[in-house]
Amino acid sequence: MSQVAIKTAPETAVSERDMANAIRALAMDSVQKANSGHPGMPMGMADVATVLFNRFITIDPSKPDWPDRDRFVLSAGHGSMLQYALHYLLGYSDMPIEELQRFRQLGSRTAGHPEYGHALGIETTTGPLGQGISTAVGMALAERMLAARHGQELVDHHTYVIAGDGCLQEGISHEAIDLAGHLRLNRLIVFWDDNSISIDGPTALSTSMDQPARFAAAGWNVSQVDGHDIEAVAEAIEAAQRSDRPSLIACRTVIGKGAPNLGGSEKTHGAPLGDAEIAATRENIGWPYAPFEVPDEILDAWREVADRGRLARLAWEQNLTASPQRTAFESAISGALPEAVFEALSAFRKEHVEKETKVATRKASEMALGVINAATDLTIGGSADLTHSNLTITKGMNRIAPGDYAGSYVHYGIREHGMAAAMNGIALHGGFIPYGGTFLCFADYARGAMRLSALMGQRVIYVMTHDSIGLGEDGPTHQPIEHLAMLRATPNLNVFRPADIIETAECWELALRAKERPSVLVLSRQNLPMLRYAHTDENRSSRGAYLLRGPAGRRAVTLIATGSEVEIAVSAAQRLHAEHGIAAAVVSMPCWELFEEQDDEYRRAVLGSAPRVAVEAAARLGWDRWIGDNGVFIGMTGFGASAPAPDLYRHFAITPEAVAEAARKLVI
């Protein structure tokens, strides 16, 4: 469906200035009632938002998730009352006036910052500055990729972003705008709330950046307007829609616009205006209505925006019904993987058990991905400039390039944080399952967006290789120590550390099946032996941990390990039996989170009641949950060093001998 911009305002007795003042009034009243919040940005950007929604944006509050809607991202998420006011005015069913009156209160839809899934029509969680604009890059990329596959008749929408000075000062913004400009994502339009104010005061306290020049240097179309000049804003949007590049519209605004004494001051940024200033503002903007009261004629004008969107949605649905692409499109949007993917992975596991394949788990991941990507076109791969180290590209994958979006592999460049945020945007948009690679140590760089993947419950898959001191000579700067603990501490995130090629394939299956949480695949650089005796149809990793080796008799000690250290635990168990007659069970624990979800009976059966030794080439934090107060941990107590991997394992005493000796001392 081709969307045509509406440059002139629709015929109505209500002016757009009055429509904007409704936003201002609702924002200041809600913040005042809550005695908490940020009125300045909603008041300052009310004119821009009114023009955007009244003339250009295509959404349908009666069906807020229809696939070809425009996406609106409030990157400056502290100004959440702008979005909530819009949703009330547009008639979203879950946003009656009572929700605005309960702004920032427990159980309300109107959380302090917009939260995906918490209220209808919120496309992504924002608040951490810079995340919104960066996530929007992924949405805009997904729109172009989906259009390349299914045609403009079904996929033809824009992604609009309101960003503030804080968003553009965050480092992730540079990664995002660089990537968007390079890929020429011309359906992305960003409004910069250029009010020259930050929390501390004037932005001149901390920055002299020429933001329009920065965007232009990154390949964006740039315009600058008075953000309170309604016709100038409309003309800038219309020009941006015609551009062959992403667009920045720098909107010079007054924070707290309308407040006669506090407008233009940092005092309006994050605090209520106060009763006296609110009364003065009402008089100043000509708004003689009680708090939370919007006259019917103004409300009707806003509801016409929703009516226009509903008609556009109905027309699109007719196009979909008649389209030869309908089945393929609906299948993609559903996100449902064909069963053939999982059948192929099961066959893959059987083949490599029989072959006893010995490879690094990063290589095993590449091999499993070859099977996955051959069986579905939903997966979109990528890497932060480590494609041939992460091994994330497989045979037949074509690369996404500027103006050519028909492929399935994205070169994200050295932008770990931007990659993670863009993958969030791809997942939120729908139509694809994104995965992207980097070294585990650089989870630090991607952390902010990874946390939002978990908070929003998105199926984003992080392929993180070079997972321990086993990467060797690159040294402690690249050797992750505390990263597993950090990731495991994150709610709603599955962290998989497979021990061999079979567990790697199982963990890939589990990541693909987890539609409402992200996954991290933690993979080795060094080769690891295949540790299974025989193929089973059951995905043994699905329960998080399992008994890999059981002793012939009653177990005297339990050895627990993950990833590359499971091999060490197996060798230690063999040593204990051969040299000391000690019966040791070996537990492989590829995913703590899934094991935690099992019932008590299963966990007791796996862990047993014997003393426990855990081995992992990482920090101890968290392991006491599994080994108990009297357990022993064999792992890292500090940072690594630069040397060949075998030398490092011996140097840090992460060896079968050390594990066996620790176990022997526990049982004698």
Side-chain angles (χ1 to χ4, degrees), residues 529-578:
M530 200 280 301
L531 297 172
R532 294 279 181 88
Y533 287 135
H535 171 70
T536 61
D537 290 331
E538 177 193 7
N539 183 327
R540 300 191 72 190
S541 298
S542 66
R543 303 187 79 171
Y546 63 97
L547 195 62
L548 177 67
R549 298 281 193 274
R554 181 178 179 182
R555 75 171 85 173
V557 66
T558 299
L559 310 180
I560 313 171
T562 76
S564 48
E565 286 71 67
V566 177
E567 173 190 10
I568 292 173
V570 169
S571 295
Q574 294 168 344
R575 180 180 292 267
L576 284 166
H577 175 71

Side-chain angles (χ1 to χ4, degrees), residues 183-412:
L183 292 175
R184 301 182 77 85
L185 300 178
N186 65 311
R187 297 307 181 89
L188 176 62
I189 300 175
V190 175
F191 301 90
W192 169 33
D193 180 19
D194 178 17
N195 59 33
S196 300
I197 293 293
S198 61
I199 293 175
D200 284 354
T203 53
L205 290 170
S206 59
T207 181
S208 301
M209 176 65 69
D210 184 338
Q211 294 289 1
R214 180 166 75 113
F215 277 78
W220 286 55
N221 170 59
V222 175
S223 61
Q224 296 175 265
V225 300
D226 177 347
H228 305 300
D229 183 334
I230 284 174
E231 295 307 323
V233 171
E235 289 172 7
I237 297 172
E238 189 176 53
Q241 289 187 334
R242 293 194 303 264
S243 178
D244 63 351
R245 294 175 290 165
S247 293
L248 173 73
I249 303 175
C251 304
R252 191 67 171 156
T253 62
V254 176
I255 191 171
K257 172 72 172 176
N261 303 303
L262 297 180
S265 166
E266 69 274 9
K267 293 179 181 179
T268 70
H269 171 82
L273 298 183
D275 291 333
E277 185 70 1
I278 287 176
T281 302
R282 278 185 152 75
E283 183 175 352
N284 188 46
I285 65 175
W287 190 263
Y289 310 108
F292 300 103
E293 179 184 338
V294 179
D296 288 344
E297 61 270 20
I298 294 178
L299 205 54
D300 289 344
W302 274 108
R303 299 291 161 88
E304 288 178 12
V305 175
D307 290 340
R308 186 182 78 234
R310 182 178 60 83
L311 293 174
R313 189 257 302 171
L314 291 171
W316 177 84
E317 288 179 345
Q318 289 182 337
N319 285 344
L320 177 63
T321 299
S323 174
Q325 282 285 320
R326 178 180 180 177
T327 300
F329 179 82
E330 290 180 335
S331 176
I333 290 297
S334 76
L337 285 161
E339 198 58 34
V341 172
F342 306 114
E343 292 169 355
L345 282 172
S346 180
F348 174 88
R349 289 192 284 115
K350 185 175 188 297
E351 174 190 354
H352 290 286
V353 163
E354 293 169 354
K355 290 181 176 179
E356 298 184 6
T357 302
K358 179 178 181 177
V359 291
T361 51
R362 65 167 176 162
K363 180 63 177 178
S365 171
E366 178 191 41
M367 294 163 70
L369 271 172
V371 170
I372 294 164
N373 292 336
T376 180
D377 59 1
L378 288 183
T379 44
I380 296 293
S383 171
D385 199 51
L386 289 169
T387 292
H388 300 295
S389 292
N390 302 144
L391 304 181
T392 42
I393 197 168
T394 61
K395 184 179 180 180
M397 295 185 82
N398 294 318
R399 293 167 169 83
I400 300 294
D404 181 0
Y405 310 104
S408 56
Y409 194 84
V410 183
H411 288 278
Y412 288 103

